[in-house]
Amino acid sequence: MQSLLKLSRGIDAFTRWTGKRLAWLILLAVIVSAVNAIVRKVFDSSSNSWLELQWVLFSIVFLLCSPWTLLDNEHIRIDIVNQMLPKRVRDSIDVVGHVAFLMPLCVIMIITGGPFFMRSVEINEQSGNAGGLPQWPAKSLIIIGFTLLLVQGISELIKRIAVMRGLIPDPHASQVSALEAEVEHLVGSIEKN
């Protein structure tokens, strides 16, 4: 198990490093969007390639930063119900969720995304919009994103099993959920008034 935990730490380090760098592309997407809007309003000119570029930038962040979201335990779950369950049950739900839902979905997306991407490369698929971008780079994001998510899912599974066996402390034990932080903020505001 120690070698698996070492692998998990390596995966986590790569995921965090990648996510922190790619998240900055949101700023670039906002800049591209703002410049495109200004040029359209001021010069009455527009470019489909710039519009599509902001979609691709957002897609990069959405798909390639999703493993970072999983790593930081910020993925969607029903916090109210989840927090009422005993820790052992929550851990079991995480294991079952990863094995039965997350990993199969990733595998299906990788397998079905491969031919989808390859066909696009073979025909050098271009945008249906005049002056648009090639489509195959954006389609490659599906395979890359779900591969990274699958690898991070394996890391999370390794850590959750190690936590359940008492081999490592829960890396998310001291983490305050967004809902809890919001409730604390509201209670603090009410108490001030």
Side-chain angles (χ1 to χ4, degrees):
M1 190 69 179
Q2 290 305 317
S3 60
L4 289 175
L5 286 169
K6 185 177 180 182
L7 172 66
S8 176
R9 285 190 295 274
I11 292 168
D12 292 352
F14 175 78
T15 296
R16 190 171 308 284
W17 184 88
T18 305
K20 283 184 176 183
R21 277 141 189 86
L22 291 176
W24 283 98
L25 290 178
I26 285 293
L27 178 60
L28 183 57
V30 169
I31 291 169
V32 167
S33 177
V35 169
N36 197 25
I38 291 168
V39 167
R40 188 172 53 245
K41 295 295 181 188
V42 173
F43 300 108
D44 197 28
S45 175
S46 184
S47 168
N48 285 330
S49 61
W50 286 100
L51 183 62
E52 290 179 9
L53 177 61
Q54 66 192 43
W55 298 338
V56 171
L57 290 170
F58 178 78
S59 299
I60 291 170
V61 173
F62 182 81
L63 287 166
L64 304 188
C65 288
S66 61
W68 185 29
T69 303
L70 183 62
L71 170 64
D72 282 350
N73 201 34
E74 293 294 331
H75 52 288
I76 297 173
R77 61 164 50 107
I78 304 172
D79 286 333
I80 296 169
V81 174
N82 192 47
Q83 293 303 320
M84 291 196 292
L85 300 172
K87 173 129 178 49
R88 189 81 174 158
V89 173
R90 289 192 312 254
D91 289 342
S92 298
I93 290 171
D94 280 348
V95 168
V96 170
H98 283 71
V99 171
F101 300 106
L102 177 66
M103 291 180 181
L105 172 68
C106 290
V107 169
I108 288 168
M109 293 302 294
I110 294 165
I111 290 170
T112 59
F116 181 65
F117 165 69
M118 289 308 298
R119 178 71 179 137
S120 184
V121 170
E122 288 170 3
I123 64 171
N124 193 23
E125 185 178 6
Q126 300 294 313
S127 171
N129 300 315
L133 298 175
Q135 295 299 293
W136 62 266
K139 290 181 178 183
S140 73
L141 296 173
I142 296 169
I143 300 167
I144 297 166
F146 279 97
T147 300
L148 293 174
L149 187 59
L150 175 64
V151 170
Q152 186 58 46
I154 291 168
S155 175
E156 295 302 312
L157 185 61
I158 292 167
K159 289 184 292 191
R160 191 56 40 205
I161 291 170
V163 166
M164 292 173 76
R165 290 183 175 177
L167 300 174
I168 62 170
D170 189 344
H172 306 298
S174 62
Q175 186 179 24
V176 176
S177 73
L179 178 62
E180 292 170 318
E182 183 67 25
V183 169
E184 287 177 17
H185 176 72
L186 289 173
V187 169
S189 296
I190 291 170
E191 288 175 352
K192 286 180 182 178
N193 293 332

